[in-house]
Amino acid sequence: MIEAPPNAQNAVQTASLWVRTTSKLGEPSMLSDKTWLKDIERTPPPLQTRLGTWRLDKNEFLVGWHQDLYKQFLERLTPDHLSTHPELGRLYALISSYIGAPIDHLLVGAGTDLCIHAAFDAFVSPGDCVVVPSPTFLMYEIYGKASGAHVRNVNYDSDLTLSVDNICAAIRDDVALVCLPNPGSPIGSALSVEAIEKIVVRAAAHNVPVLVDEAYYPFYPKSCIELVNKHSNLIITRTFSKAAGLAGARIGFAVGSSMLMARMRAFKPMYEITFPSVLLAEIVFENIEHMYAYAEDVRNGRNLLEKYFQSLGYSTFGGEANFLLVNFGKDRDAVITKLNTAGVLYKSSFAHPSLVGWSRLSVGPKKYIETFIDYFDRLCG
């Protein structure tokens, strides 16, 4: 019998223990001015834990955070950090030094998510249009709809690449914001710096800001950050959730012109992140080599997993992020049933036409992938 990680069986299915959040409240006049919100349903979180499972579903840091950095955090954390309002001055200075941008060109947020939200608040109004790739990060569409905007999707081609010409053609006078994750999830393909600059120039001609989400940097090390000084309509966002390994701490930042950041800063909360998160982010910058070493280790793990699945006769798409697309072909139903029964958390299927038949598995360091390959062999071999 193959033993799954602890708690795996508890995470196989999310019990329906929550009532639907869209209770019938009627339509009092105080709610009638944002009627587009009725089409958005956000459900409460599940009760089951994902800890102790094969967490291959959300592209997280798949091993425990660096023990030496965790020790530094515990040594630095004091009770005062829990009872004092967060102080972000030093963190802004560290980001400024790391990025090479003045502090007034920066905005820290609770993950990239909050920075993206601030961009929608700052630039998108009801009736506007927002251009996003499809499929992509779900929150672009949610924030677009919550803003009362129309979301104009640009589909990936059948070869799982994104056409620059199609994106440029979608940018017209009715557009208020372009969101472009690079590389993007769930596919993982990336555009070159030159391609992104072409899009930014096209958008500038229509006075439109472009948000390039570099959540998967440095798994994909070709950043567009240097274009910020050249193009005043460009916003770059980064997160500490992926290669830095701090998805649970909710830390991210945006960089752009002082004009764009001033607009976005109008919507920041009183304190961008918690004091413990500030300490964690500072430790990341003080030990930045850990992030780059982890990214390299994950690239090796992705290559190993891709070669393994290919050796079994399965089609793969490696992409440039910390996940792998796999098409299990004729074995699909049997493999998916075994993985689901064993409590392996991953994305088994997609509704988008470009990804029919594909599954997605998050990737970790090479040793982690070696262990998973052995597990997969015993489970599905």
Side-chain angles (χ1 to χ4, degrees):
M1 180 178 178
I2 300 171
E3 294 184 0
N7 294 322
Q9 297 300 328
N10 292 336
V12 175
Q13 297 289 337
T14 299
S16 299
L17 298 178
W18 295 93
V19 297
R20 288 173 63 86
T21 59
T22 53
S23 57
K24 299 297 182 181
L25 299 177
E27 295 185 357
S29 58
M30 62 181 289
L31 299 179
S32 62
D33 60 336
K34 290 190 176 182
T35 55
W36 57 84
L37 294 179
K38 65 182 176 57
D39 295 325
I40 302 174
E41 181 180 351
R42 308 296 304 283
T43 58
L47 297 179
Q48 282 73 17
T49 183
R50 298 169 63 250
L51 299 176
T53 67
W54 290 106
R55 295 181 291 108
L56 309 183
D57 55 336
K58 294 188 177 182
N59 308 331
E60 297 166 330
F61 196 91
L62 295 183
V63 293
W65 200 52
H66 310 286
Q67 286 298 306
D68 55 336
L69 302 191
Y70 180 62
K71 182 179 179 181
Q72 289 183 42
F73 171 66
L74 293 181
E75 291 172 348
R76 193 172 301 189
L77 182 67
T78 70
D80 277 349
H81 289 118
L82 302 179
S83 56
T84 304
H85 287 103
E87 298 176 355
L88 279 80
R90 182 168 181 264
L91 176 57
Y92 269 96
L94 286 169
I95 298 173
S96 174
S97 177
Y98 173 67
I99 292 296
I103 289 177
D104 66 346
H105 288 232
L106 303 172
L107 175 64
V108 172
T112 302
D113 196 5
L114 192 74
C115 296
I116 295 169
H117 196 175
F120 276 85
D121 284 339
F123 307 117
V124 182
S125 299
D128 286 340
C129 182
V130 178
V131 173
V132 301
S134 181
T136 191
F137 179 46
L138 179 63
M139 297 310 298
Y140 299 135
E141 182 171 359
I142 289 176
Y143 290 149
K145 289 181 176 179
S147 300
H150 169 68
V151 178
R152 181 173 295 153
N153 291 312
V154 179
N155 288 319
Y156 279 79
D157 293 334
S158 58
D159 62 354
L160 302 185
T161 61
L162 197 59
S163 167
V164 175
D165 291 339
N166 288 346
I167 297 172
C168 288
I171 302 172
R172 302 191 285 272
D173 287 341
D174 60 345
V175 174
L177 181 66
V178 177
C179 296
L180 193 62
N182 197 53
S185 176
I187 290 177
S189 61
L191 294 172
S192 68
V193 175
E194 294 75 19
I196 288 178
E197 185 167 25
K198 181 178 178 180
I199 295 167
V200 172
V201 170
R202 165 75 177 188
H206 293 268
N207 200 32
V208 174
V210 177
L211 188 153
V212 176
D213 185 358
E214 295 187 345
Y216 292 98
Y217 178 87
F219 298 121
Y220 180 67
K222 298 177 183 179
S223 173
C224 296
I225 204 78
E226 304 253 342
L227 296 180
V228 170
N229 293 328
K230 188 176 178 181
H231 300 284
S232 61
N233 65 319
L234 176 61
I235 304 163
I236 304 289
T237 58
R238 297 251 185 105
T239 182
F240 287 65
S241 296
K242 308 301 183 186
L246 292 174
R250 311 310 302 141
I251 312 165
F253 65 88
V255 55
S257 68
S258 58
M259 174 188 67
L260 294 180
M261 291 302 104
R263 288 279 297 273
M264 291 170 60
R265 200 175 296 116
F267 295 94
K268 84 173 184 68
M270 181 67 74
Y271 300 99
E272 297 92 320
I273 57 177
T274 68
F275 219 148
S277 293
V278 170
L279 299 182
L280 288 165
E282 290 175 350
I283 290 169
V284 167
F285 281 118
E286 293 165 6
N287 301 270
I288 199 68
E289 68 280 359
H290 283 66
M291 183 176 75
Y292 289 98
Y294 179 78
E296 178 63 25
D297 200 359
V298 168
R299 283 193 290 270
N300 292 333
R302 185 184 64 208
N303 294 338
L304 176 63
L305 189 61
E306 183 168 27
K307 290 178 180 177
Y308 167 72
F309 281 132
Q310 288 175 350
S311 74
L312 298 179
Y314 302 143
S315 299
T316 63
F317 186 85
E320 302 288 351
N322 64 333
F323 54 82
L324 180 71
L325 292 176
V326 183
N327 192 323
F328 294 115
K330 62 181 177 57
D331 299 330
R332 176 179 172 77
D333 291 345
V335 169
I336 287 177
T337 297
K338 289 179 180 179
L339 290 175
N340 290 346
T341 301
V344 176
L345 305 180
Y346 70 108
K347 184 71 173 179
S348 61
S349 62
F350 298 89
H352 196 274
S354 65
L355 290 176
V356 171
W358 293 93
S359 297
R360 189 193 70 189
L361 295 90
S362 304
V363 178
K366 188 175 180 180
K367 286 186 177 179
Y368 182 94
I369 294 304
E370 289 173 345
T371 302
F372 177 73
I373 286 174
D374 180 65
Y375 182 77
F376 189 91
D377 269 339
R378 290 182 287 142
L379 182 67
C380 301

